[in-house]
Amino acid sequence: MRRIAPDVTVEVMRWPDSLTIAALRAGREIGRINVNAKAWGARVTTITVDAAYRRLGVATQLYRAAAREACTHLGQPLVSGIQRSPSAEGFWQKQMA
């Protein structure tokens, strides 16, 4: 496990063609990102953060960890392939900048 904030750690679960990264605080999951390998790149399928922890950088840290893991574990760049909700558009614009 790795720390992404003073009291938040990440746990990476790897499979041959996918990975899941969970953000944990005091042993409780507060966020998660799932990534699947495709022919054209590693695709983000879901990213969620508990409402109490939104706008604190948890999703950004999960995304960055997923980008690193996609390259090292899956051997592919991370691309976004999820349906973007209007409320999350600002987050995605920051990630693509």
Side-chain angles (χ1 to χ4, degrees):
M1 280 196 235
R2 234 182 87 216
R3 291 197 178 279
I4 60 172
D7 58 347
V8 178
T9 57
V10 291
E11 181 178 66
V12 181
M13 295 155 273
R14 298 174 186 94
W15 294 273
D17 61 350
S18 65
L19 58 97
T20 296
I21 302 174
L24 307 168
R25 182 170 186 245
R28 181 178 164 266
E29 185 174 304
I30 61 167
R32 170 181 291 252
I33 189 168
N34 297 308
V35 178
N36 289 329
K38 300 292 180 191
W40 41 267
R43 182 173 76 100
V44 175
T45 56
T46 57
I47 184 167
T48 59
V49 175
D50 184 293
Y53 296 93
R54 291 183 186 153
R55 303 194 60 79
L56 299 174
V58 174
T60 297
Q61 294 299 318
L62 285 169
Y63 186 86
R64 288 178 182 164
R68 284 190 301 272
E69 285 292 324
C71 287
T72 58
H73 174 66
L74 300 174
Q76 297 180 324
L78 186 63
V79 296
S80 173
I82 64 173
Q83 295 291 326
R84 297 180 186 176
S85 70
S87 62
E89 192 58 36
F91 167 79
W92 288 110
Q93 287 176 1
K94 286 185 216 172
Q95 305 316 305
M96 300 303 153

